[in-house]
Amino acid sequence: MKAGIVGLPNVGKSTLFNCLSNAKAQSANFPFCTIEPNIGVVNVPDPRLQKLESLVKPERVIPATVEIVDIAGLVKGASKGEGLGNQFLANIRETDAILHVLRCFDNDNIVHVDGKVNPIRDKETIDMELQLKDLETVDKKLEKVKRAAKTGNKEAQKEEAVLLNIKKNLEAGVSIRALDFSEDDYEDYVKPSQFITDKPVMYVCNVDEGSAVSGNAYVEQVKAAVKDESAEVLVLAVGTEADINELDDFEERQLFLQDIGLDEPGSSKLIRSAYKLLKQQTYFTAGVKEVRAWTVDIGATAPQAAGVIHTDFEKGFIRAEVIAYDDYVSYGSEAKVKEAGKMRVEGKNYIVKDGDVMHFLFNV
């Protein structure tokens, strides 16, 4: 699963990407220094993994990961190909969620493509370009569907009604993620089109160091502007995070964080939030060889979770032995959990819960 970082040029996207991935994407004080999308595989910070490590003492520990894509800055007119816009929009379409970086700090040394800092205008610029691209997609689909609908095809008539509703809203500046659809309509007519404005979004307010803890007036404007969207707003001092990242010593990093009033790097919160935005959760396997965090969709069944390890595990699934994370920690070992009768045996219909410690039995 991929989360794509988007925003206008010079709002801090590539700096943020570098903080998250430790891969040094080019970041400079001019538009379009990022042209090809940079992709980083980022570990998901999870204190539960460290706790399991301390109890099991395995040979190795493997965290869950999420892919972050640094997409070059969009500009007004991108939907018409301005500033290599079509390429960038195609890159966004391939992601599963959007991290929309908004500049919420003043600094005369860092140019703003529109001359003045205004995160609401910046948000609307990006929204409009993404909506225009989706409108293009809707119009193309409608051309085909209308022809079929005229012949009396009931399925095409249903799809036409859904697409016309989407078109009307996009023309009014409303993103697809803000619309309500029946489950069937969404699965049949909306989801297959991979509309850009249907992707879940998180707004990342890039602030100065002094605003890292409580935000500022710009952040309040953003929160007010997105209150009707089902979107999260995260405050992050990206430049400060970059400075923290340069420190090799863990204790020095902690002191730096304490000095500005943070208990952990904002980038850790961002990665966890992106993981949730992608509707992902974690289950664990724990043995002397390795303790490992595995990523599954929220709502996944036990066989689907087994299939993440290997397709054979899903095909030949018999049952899963499941220990709740809290039980594992409170009893201290798998053996003691079993003694206390707290290990459960679950079948094919079991819905995996975040933090489950699992062991699968299968036969192929």
Side-chain angles (χ1 to χ4, degrees):
M1 300 292 277
K2 291 181 192 170
I5 302 175
V6 306
L8 291 178
N10 291 359
V11 295
K13 296 185 313 304
S14 292
T15 307
L16 174 60
F17 174 80
N18 289 337
C19 289
L20 296 176
S21 68
N22 289 329
K24 300 299 180 196
Q26 188 182 2
S27 65
N29 190 15
F30 57 91
F32 310 123
C33 65
T34 310
I35 292 175
E36 289 301 320
N38 296 295
I39 298 176
V41 178
V42 181
N43 291 342
V44 178
D46 193 333
R48 296 174 300 182
L49 203 55
Q50 281 74 52
K51 186 66 187 170
L52 288 171
E53 181 186 11
S54 70
L55 294 171
V56 180
K57 297 181 175 51
E59 289 172 22
R60 60 180 182 165
V61 177
I62 302 174
T65 59
V66 61
E67 272 191 28
I68 304 286
V69 187
D70 176 27
I71 293 162
L74 282 171
V75 292
K76 202 174 282 183
S79 56
K80 300 283 182 282
E82 289 294 323
L84 308 177
N86 286 326
Q87 185 182 335
F88 302 160
L89 288 160
N91 293 336
I92 295 170
R93 198 183 292 285
E94 288 170 17
T95 65
D96 303 289
I98 294 171
L99 308 177
H100 187 161
V101 182
L102 294 166
R103 177 170 168 177
C104 294
F105 66 90
D106 293 303
N107 184 334
D108 293 338
N109 295 322
I110 299 176
V111 297
H112 190 291
V113 285
D114 289 330
K116 187 172 179 294
V117 176
N118 182 336
I120 306 308
R121 179 204 55 215
D122 295 354
K123 173 194 174 311
E124 287 168 353
T125 298
I126 298 278
D127 282 352
M128 188 171 75
E129 294 306 323
L130 301 184
Q131 287 160 2
L132 285 168
K133 201 66 188 170
D134 278 349
L135 202 50
E136 205 179 280
T137 306
V138 169
D139 285 338
K140 279 180 187 163
K141 286 193 81 80
L142 270 170
E143 272 178 41
K144 291 180 188 170
V145 171
K146 276 181 171 172
R147 284 197 294 271
K150 277 178 184 166
T151 67
N153 182 314
K154 291 277 188 287
E155 197 65 27
Q157 287 169 352
K158 275 163 59 179
E159 184 170 6
E160 182 185 25
V162 172
L163 292 173
L164 286 170
N165 179 43
I166 290 173
K167 180 179 167 74
K168 180 184 76 178
N169 279 283
L170 286 171
E171 286 172 342
V174 179
S175 292
I176 294 167
R177 76 179 74 85
L179 306 181
D180 286 324
F181 302 97
S182 73
E183 197 175 322
D184 287 347
D185 283 353
Y186 183 79
E187 287 297 322
D188 293 344
Y189 311 128
V190 184
K191 193 177 176 182
S193 296
Q194 286 187 294
F195 291 114
I196 299 172
T197 67
D198 185 38
K199 297 179 191 296
V201 66
M202 175 164 59
Y203 294 100
V204 181
C205 293
N206 183 11
V207 299
D208 56 280
E209 187 177 306
S211 308
V213 177
S214 341
N216 56 25
Y218 290 132
V219 174
E220 294 311 311
Q221 289 169 19
V222 172
K223 285 180 177 173
V226 307
K227 68 180 190 304
D228 296 330
E229 296 184 37
S230 53
E232 192 176 340
V233 176
L234 197 80
V235 178
L236 206 64
V238 175
T240 306
E241 294 281 330
D243 292 340
I244 293 170
N245 233 32
E246 292 299 318
L247 300 172
D248 293 326
D249 186 72
F250 175 77
E251 284 177 9
E252 278 183 41
R253 286 185 182 200
Q254 293 308 109
L255 285 170
F256 197 143
L257 287 166
Q258 282 169 23
D259 283 347
I260 57 174
L262 294 174
D263 52 1
E264 67 171 342
S267 52
S268 295
K269 286 181 185 160
L270 178 79
I271 296 163
R272 283 200 300 273
S273 299
Y275 194 65
K276 281 187 185 153
L277 196 67
L278 291 162
K279 295 186 172 58
Q280 302 288 284
Q281 65 179 5
T282 302
Y283 78 85
F284 302 101
T285 50
V288 288
K289 285 280 182 201
E290 69 173 29
V291 164
R292 182 165 183 162
W294 299 89
T295 300
V296 286
D297 292 339
I298 291 170
T301 61
Q304 287 168 333
V308 173
I309 299 176
H310 198 288
T311 50
D312 284 352
F313 283 27
E314 184 172 2
K315 281 180 201 158
F317 179 89
I318 300 169
R319 63 180 183 273
E321 294 174 346
V322 183
I323 303 169
Y325 170 79
D326 288 342
D327 285 341
Y328 203 110
V329 170
S330 63
Y331 288 98
S333 72
E334 186 178 311
K336 285 180 180 167
V337 171
K338 280 181 180 173
E339 273 174 37
K342 290 287 185 179
M343 178 185 275
R344 305 188 315 277
V345 174
E346 301 286 1
K348 289 183 176 180
N349 296 325
Y350 176 68
I351 303 296
V352 177
K353 293 179 181 61
D354 187 54
D356 278 348
V357 181
M358 304 184 79
H359 177 67
F360 301 104
L361 287 91
F362 70 101
N363 182 25
V364 176

